[in-house]
């Protein structure tokens, strides 16, 4: 009987892992969707901000040299 209980527990664990994977995928999709909406509304993405910051740093470094 204990092996049947162990199998039941393993199946329940796998079920929870599946639920967590689906929830994680939904959160990722939500984040991507929100970033796209932000770009459409004119808010720069994190990648655009990083590129602008790197360009500014390169310009400052060129001025120092």
């Amino acid at each position: 009987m204990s092996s049947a209980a162990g199998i039941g527990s393993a199946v329940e664990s796998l079920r929870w892992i599946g639920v967590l994977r689906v929830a994680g995928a939904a959160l990722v999709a939500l984040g991507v969707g929100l970033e796209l909406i932000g770009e459409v509304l004119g808010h720069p993405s994190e990648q655009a901000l990083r590129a602008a910051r790197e360009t500014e740093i390169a310009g400052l470094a060129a001025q120092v040299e």
Side-chain angles (χ1 to χ4, degrees):
M1 216 43 190
S2 66
S3 69
I7 292 172
S9 175
V11 168
E12 187 65 28
S13 294
L14 288 175
R15 197 171 292 145
W16 275 110
I17 290 170
V19 168
L20 292 174
R21 287 182 68 187
V22 169
L27 288 173
V28 168
L30 177 64
V32 169
L34 289 174
E35 186 167 345
L36 289 174
I37 290 170
E39 287 183 21
V40 168
L41 294 176
H43 299 288
S45 68
E46 183 179 336
Q47 188 175 12
L49 290 172
R50 185 178 301 123
R53 192 169 42 241
E54 288 173 357
T55 302
E56 183 178 355
I57 291 170
L60 292 173
Q63 286 178 0
V64 169
E65 293 174 353

